[in-house]
Amino acid sequence: MFSDLLIERLLKATSVVVLTGAGISAESGVPIFRGETGLWKKFRPEELANIDAFLRNPSLVWEWYNYRKDLIREVNPNPGHVALVALENKYPDFLLVTQNVDNLHRVAGSRNIRELHGNIMRNRCVDCNRQIDQSELTVPTGSAVPRCECGGLVRPDVVWFGEALPNKEIQDAFTAARSCDVFLVVGTSAVVHPAAQLPLEAKEYGAYVLEINVEPTVISNYVNESIFGKAGTILPALVKRLGL
Ligand code: BJW
Ligand code: ZN
């Protein structure tokens, strides 16, 4: 299943970066965004995950996020998340970059994480930008939309289309991608930028890039190697193959 070259590169590596997307959480029961089984099959992601949609219909957007938060509270990390903890324990220089907002990597035990698209369990005020804990959320009677003490609308602290990614997170991710020995890209359709640029940048700078996905993606022709299968099967097998 794994090429000799991949195993050689991984055994020699000191620096490894992993980029994950919704596919790694699919086996935990969190629906992915796109494709036949996507969470957003009825809505195009670009139509709901943007500030204009929120300001136009905040209760619809909150309904959708509350549904997802409730779902995420009920699920657990899967063997794919756990295998990445084993990889982090092996490599002195390891960075886990995730597009996911579901917190499952942290729950699994990963430590050096950069969340590029925020975290669904955090909230912030649209007007004063104050971070607001879940326990502090106040919902005015007759509306599903929480408000800040300043009167502003509260929104999930995630990154919507057209919004900048958190500066340190994306900078760290590019810096690590440019200097790592091996780059793993797991469970992402690789259509959303700038995250999708990271594996290409890593390859350009000399890393060996391995993609793990259930199906080919737009970057499959550019990476060094693709393995088509479930992350929850392939990652534990890889960790085992490395003797971890
Ligand atoms: C499995 C599996 C299993 C299933 N095992 N695999 C360059 C070119 C073109 C466009 C742009 C560009 N640069 C910027 C843009 C615009 C835009 C963009 O990328 N648009 C494209 C869609 C065309 N990007 C932005 O707007 C970004 N911001 C930005 O660029 O700002 C610029 C700026 C600078 C300065 C000031 C102001 C602005 C922001 C992007 C934010 C994305 N946000 C979302 C929502 C987050 C909150 C939430 O969760 O609600 O992030 S959209 C959604 O897509 C979410 C995801 O993180 C992201 C990526 O999706 P992902 O993870 O890849 O999921 P899927 O469903 O697409 O794929 C799952 C994969 O798993 C599939 O391949 C399956 O096959 C696989 N799979 N089961 C392994 N068991
Ligand atoms: Zn406020």
Side-chain angles (χ1 to χ4, degrees):
M1 184 195 297
F2 307 110
S3 74
D4 291 345
L5 185 56
L6 169 69
I7 297 304
E8 187 191 316
R9 294 293 292 258
L10 274 167
L11 288 174
K12 269 203 242 146
T14 56
S15 168
V16 171
V17 175
V18 182
L19 171 68
T20 62
I24 195 163
S25 295
E27 291 160 77
S28 292
V30 184
I32 60 170
F33 292 96
R34 300 172 180 84
E36 273 309 292
T37 56
L39 175 66
W40 291 346
K41 205 161 47 170
K42 290 192 192 137
F43 304 96
R44 294 190 59 240
E46 292 74 7
E47 282 168 17
L48 266 190
N50 70 75
I51 189 68
D52 294 335
F54 179 71
L55 295 176
R56 213 168 30 241
N57 195 345
S59 56
L60 172 71
V61 176
W62 264 113
E63 194 184 321
W64 176 54
Y65 276 96
N66 283 334
Y67 164 77
R68 290 172 60 198
K69 279 187 193 188
D70 287 348
L71 187 142
I72 285 165
R73 278 192 200 98
E74 296 299 314
V75 303
N76 295 306
N78 65 60
H81 295 103
V82 174
L84 293 182
V85 182
L87 278 189
E88 180 165 11
N89 291 339
K90 172 176 170 64
Y91 293 104
D93 187 7
F94 180 93
L95 187 67
L96 175 53
V97 180
T98 187
Q99 298 169 85
N100 299 346
V101 298
D102 60 25
N103 214 33
L104 286 178
H105 285 303
R106 201 163 279 113
V107 175
S110 290
R111 299 173 301 277
N112 201 17
I113 309 172
R114 298 294 180 275
E115 292 175 322
L116 296 184
H117 294 161
N119 189 304
I120 199 171
M121 296 303 175
R122 290 195 313 254
N123 311 282
R124 68 181 164 85
C125 173
V126 167
D127 287 347
C128 72
N129 217 29
R130 191 170 75 88
Q131 293 253 353
I132 297 158
D133 276 359
Q134 197 63 22
S135 58
E136 277 185 79
L137 280 191
T138 49
V139 182
T141 327
S143 157
V145 182
R147 294 260 174 191
C148 172
E149 58 190 23
C150 82
L153 289 169
V154 176
R155 59 168 281 178
D157 194 6
V158 297
V159 180
W160 285 331
F161 285 108
E163 296 180 337
L165 277 65
N167 197 41
K168 181 178 169 10
E169 276 73 5
I170 191 66
Q171 292 298 340
D172 286 356
F174 272 101
T175 303
R178 288 177 185 134
S179 63
C180 66
D181 303 310
V182 179
F183 189 104
L184 271 57
V185 47
V186 183
T188 177
S189 57
V191 295
V192 174
H193 290 263
Q197 190 58 36
L198 289 165
L200 308 181
E201 193 85 353
K203 176 127 188 284
E204 188 104 351
Y205 279 73
Y208 192 86
V209 181
L210 167 70
E211 173 183 55
I212 298 173
N213 200 301
V214 288
E215 62 185 27
T217 69
V218 292
I219 60 163
S220 299
N221 286 336
Y222 301 94
V223 300
N224 295 92
E225 185 168 340
S226 291
I227 298 178
F228 299 117
K230 292 185 173 184
T233 306
I234 307 293
L235 283 169
L238 180 60
V239 158
K240 195 169 169 210
R241 177 73 182 74
L242 294 173
L244 304 175

